[in-house]
Amino acid sequence: SHELKTPMAIIQAHAEALSEGAFHDEVMGPKFVDALLRNSERLNTIVSSMLELAHLESGTYDLFLSMYEIEPLIENSIELFQDTDFEHSYQITIDVEKDLKAYIDVQAFSHIVHNFVENAIKYTSRKGIIRVKGKQTDDGVRVSVEDNGPGIESKYFSRIFERFFRIDKGRARDEGGTGLGLSIVRNMADAMGAQVGVCNSELGGAEFWCLFPNVH
Ligand SMILES: Nc1ncnc2c1ncn2[C@@H]1O[C@H](COP(=O)(O)OP(=O)(O)O)[C@@H](O)[C@H]1O
Ligand SMILES: [Mg+2]
């Protein structure tokens, strides 16, 4: 994929420059080494995500589906975000119906929630309000993550789950984005027989949801 070529070309160019003498340049030396590091990290992120996607698409991804209470799982998947220094700049609330259970794989479910919340934080720059909801509907158990960020234009609602799709490539790249997060999410949901989608949130930003079918 050409997504791999950019960081690879940058690594190659900087390594060459270093070996051709920049290594001894007090100013450029450290800069080039820094660029090497940043781009190899980026390459690493992309390759790991691509491998995960390939694993999912191969159909050999192991799932253990059962009925689980979801509120504790949601709490665990966002624990990490509540520990960070950024806490002052956003607020996450959880609003899940009491004792709500869904037919899920714990790891895949947690991954989806984690990813939605990570995006909500990432794309909601200041004073973020993030709400995770869970409720029983006629169609199944609906889990959603809403934010008060910039939201998503409706013309992108389905494209957003395509691999490597990002609305603002430059910005997403600065944030370390690969555009693979949501395609992994969609594949995991598929594997569980769940649906995913996005709509406008009453909070002003985006609302990403996942619907787990009722099992009887
Ligand atoms: N909560 C959100 N608010 C606004 N835009 C979002 C949100 N979540 C995802 N996006 C958009 O969807 C794109 C794809 O998301 P994702 O697959 O997770 O890739 P990335 O690695 O860029 O985060 C993002 O680049 C961003 O443009
Ligand atoms: Mg993401």
Side-chain angles (χ1 to χ4, degrees):
S1 152
H2 81 279
E3 301 287 335
L4 295 171
K5 286 189 180 154
T6 311
M8 263 166 45
I10 296 173
I11 290 168
Q12 174 92 32
H14 286 81
E16 267 169 27
L18 283 166
S19 82
E20 282 159 12
F23 184 73
H24 301 287
D25 187 312
E26 245 171 70
V27 179
M28 296 321 274
K31 274 195 182 173
F32 286 179
V33 170
D34 194 54
L36 270 183
L37 268 176
R38 259 184 298 113
N39 284 278
S40 48
E41 267 167 29
R42 176 160 178 77
L43 199 56
N44 193 15
T45 310
I46 299 177
V47 170
S48 309
S49 296
M50 287 177 75
L51 288 174
E52 180 150 31
L53 205 51
H55 185 194
L56 278 160
E57 289 179 343
S58 72
T60 59
Y61 189 79
D62 263 329
L63 286 181
F64 185 78
L65 288 162
S66 187
M67 289 301 282
Y68 292 96
E69 202 183 314
I70 61 173
E71 180 155 20
L73 300 176
I74 292 175
E75 271 163 14
N76 286 343
S77 16
I78 67 172
E79 207 169 42
L80 200 111
F81 299 121
Q82 277 164 336
D83 275 349
T84 63
D85 299 344
F86 302 111
E87 203 184 357
H88 59 277
S89 67
Y90 61 82
Q91 191 187 63
I92 307 179
T93 56
I94 300 179
D95 178 10
V96 179
E97 282 172 8
K98 200 170 172 321
D99 301 329
L100 185 61
K101 290 192 179 66
Y103 190 67
I104 54 165
D105 172 84
V106 169
Q107 264 199 299
F109 176 84
S110 305
H111 185 101
I112 292 174
V113 174
H114 182 95
N115 223 274
F116 283 169
V117 174
E118 181 184 66
N119 277 342
I121 293 170
K122 198 156 91 172
Y123 297 107
T124 303
S125 356
R126 310 194 67 236
K127 298 235 163 73
I129 297 174
I130 294 149
R131 185 166 68 192
V132 188
K133 279 196 306 200
K135 64 178 182 191
Q136 180 69 57
T137 72
D138 292 344
D139 302 327
V141 173
R142 188 178 188 277
V143 176
S144 67
V145 177
E146 296 173 73
D147 64 58
N148 64 338
I152 292 165
E153 282 181 72
S154 57
K155 64 176 175 186
Y156 296 130
F157 280 176
S158 67
R159 300 207 57 199
I160 206 101
F161 291 93
E162 289 170 15
R163 52 174 64 197
F164 294 119
F165 186 81
R166 284 159 296 180
I167 291 168
D168 180 345
K169 289 220 174 202
R171 162 133 191 240
R173 191 168 307 128
D174 292 343
E175 305 273 2
T178 60
L180 290 171
L182 289 175
S183 60
I184 290 174
V185 159
R186 187 176 59 184
N187 274 274
M188 285 188 169
D190 274 356
M192 288 188 281
Q195 285 174 285
V196 285
V198 62
C199 55
N200 296 315
S201 160
E202 58 184 29
L203 298 178
E207 172 169 6
F208 283 86
W209 55 265
C210 191
L211 186 68
F212 299 90
N214 292 321
V215 286
H216 303 285

